Amino acid sequence: MLMNILSIIVNIAYLVILNLAFYTDRVKMPTGEIREWHRSPVTRLSISNQSFLFYLQIVLAAVSIITSVLLFLGFQKSLIKTIQFISTIGSTVMFVIIMILSSNSHVRYV
């Protein structure tokens, strides 16, 4: 039961953190002025053409939350518990990967 509650809270926290604008990008413009943007990890993934990682994070978080709710409703199958555990671990790993990649991302101009 504690694992179910923790899984739901952690996945919601991951999605909130990924949408917080805590990165600052500074660029010197051709006119000499410095332009500054505050961006979230999701935005930085988007501008570096790696949005699929965020979609994968959403899928893993949704599977984890749905299986946690199913376990709350009384479904006690070991398959559901296994899926919930694997999706929670997968969501955590994907969160770490996104944070690492978004901190080292560079804008691609096409």
Side-chain angles (χ1 to χ4, degrees):
M1 175 114 162
L2 181 62
M3 180 67 175
N4 298 336
I5 296 170
L6 186 64
S7 174
I8 292 171
I9 291 171
V10 164
N11 281 301
I12 290 172
Y14 289 162
L15 294 175
V16 168
I17 290 170
L18 288 174
N19 286 299
L20 290 177
F22 55 84
Y23 290 121
T24 302
D25 292 340
R26 289 183 187 92
V27 175
K28 187 173 183 179
M29 303 303 281
T31 60
E33 65 181 324
I34 294 182
R35 180 91 191 257
E36 186 174 288
W37 293 274
H38 297 285
R39 294 189 170 134
S40 68
V42 173
T43 306
R44 289 186 98 179
L45 285 176
S46 177
I47 62 176
S48 63
N49 293 330
Q50 297 175 341
S51 297
F52 68 94
L53 294 172
F54 181 62
Y55 297 131
L56 184 58
Q57 171 70 30
I58 291 173
V59 168
L60 289 169
V63 169
S64 179
I65 291 171
I66 290 169
T67 53
S68 294
V69 169
L70 286 175
L71 289 170
F72 271 136
L73 294 176
F75 294 92
Q76 294 298 325
K77 303 233 177 187
S78 65
L79 179 64
I80 294 176
K81 289 181 183 179
T82 305
I83 292 172
Q84 189 257 346
F85 182 73
I86 291 171
S87 62
T88 301
I89 297 297
S91 177
T92 301
V93 168
M94 188 53 58
F95 174 75
V96 171
I97 289 171
I98 287 172
M99 293 304 287
I100 291 170
L101 289 178
S102 66
S103 69
N104 294 322
S105 67
H106 301 285
V107 177
R108 288 190 178 179
Y109 296 103
V110 180

